[in-house]
Amino acid sequence: MKKEKKIAYVTGGMGGIGTAICRKLYSLDYVVIAGCGPNRDFNSWLTVQREGGYDFLHSVGNGSDWESTQTAFERVRETIGDVDILVNNAGITRDNLALRMKEEDWTDVLDVNLKAGFLLSKACLRGMMKNRQGRIINISSVVGSTGNPGHANYASTKAGMDGFTKSLAR
C-alpha cells in the first residue's frame, strides 16, 4: 500500500527554527511530525499552530536515549509509515568558559546536539534503505568551524555533526 503523502520528522520541531521548518514542510504537502522532549508543553504549541492553519502531529521522547527513540519511531511506523525526511534540528546550549564548564553541561549538550542526531538517524535508516529513498538533514552552525569563546561544548557538537553528515552521505 502506497502512502498518500510523504512523512517528515523534525526534531526540536517546537522551537523557533523547528517551527519554521515544520511550517515549510507542511506547505510542501508533507505530513509533519514535530518531535519534542518530555518536558515540552506540546498541547499549547499544537493549538497555536492549528489556529494558524497548520495541522502537525507530535512525538514526545528523548532523542539521546536509544529505547525512547526506537519507541517513538515504531509508533510513527505503525500509525502512518516510514519517515521520508528526518530533520535533526534539536539543540541546546550550556555556555561557559571551558575552565568553568561543569561536566554535566558538557555531557548534556553532546547528548542532545550530537548523540541524538546519530540515534535518530539510525532509527530512520532501515526504512529509508528499504524504500530506496529518504533524506536526513542535519542542522549545524558556523561555530562548528570557527569555534567561539564559551562555546566549547556547543562548537564541538556542531563540528561533530558536520563530520557525521559527511560520513553518512558517503
Side-chain angles (χ1 to χ4, degrees):
M1 184 170 117
K2 187 169 168 35
K3 295 185 292 190
E4 288 184 34
K5 292 185 175 186
K6 291 192 176 194
I7 301 165
Y9 192 109
V10 181
T11 71
M14 296 179 190
I17 294 171
T19 297
I21 294 168
C22 287
R23 288 178 173 187
K24 180 62 178 181
L25 289 167
Y26 187 84
S27 76
L28 296 172
D29 208 29
Y30 283 86
V31 172
V32 177
I33 304 163
C36 69
N39 299 324
R40 186 71 180 209
D41 180 8
F42 61 85
N43 284 316
S44 295
W45 183 85
L46 288 169
T47 299
V48 169
Q49 299 311 308
R50 285 190 184 114
E51 288 169 355
Y54 300 97
D55 190 19
F56 300 132
L57 302 175
H58 74 285
S59 176
V60 179
N62 176 355
S64 63
D65 176 78
W66 179 238
E67 275 188 44
S68 178
T69 300
Q70 279 185 302
T71 300
F73 279 87
E74 283 171 13
R75 268 192 225 119
V76 169
R77 262 194 279 327
E78 289 169 3
T79 56
I80 58 174
D82 288 318
V83 169
D84 298 290
I85 295 180
L86 170 65
V87 181
N88 282 315
N89 171 66
I92 62 169
T93 60
R94 299 284 188 270
D95 298 345
N96 211 336
L97 296 175
L99 177 67
R100 295 186 185 133
M101 187 174 291
K102 296 177 189 165
E103 183 179 352
E104 179 181 337
D105 291 339
W106 176 269
T107 303
D108 287 350
V109 172
L110 262 70
D111 282 352
V112 173
N113 296 9
L114 187 57
K115 181 180 179 185
F118 161 68
L119 294 178
L120 292 154
S121 297
K122 182 176 177 174
C124 289
L125 283 169
R126 189 172 310 282
M128 289 177 177
M129 291 174 69
K130 178 185 81 176
N131 296 326
R132 296 179 182 251
Q133 65 87 32
R135 300 288 182 268
I136 297 175
I137 301 165
N138 294 320
I139 305 299
S140 188
S141 169
V142 68
V143 173
S145 297
T146 63
N148 211 19
H151 292 108
N153 50 3
Y154 182 80
S156 296
T157 64
K158 295 308 177 179
M161 188 58 84
D162 291 346
F164 174 67
T165 301
K166 291 173 187 173
S167 294
L168 200 57
R170 298 211 180 263

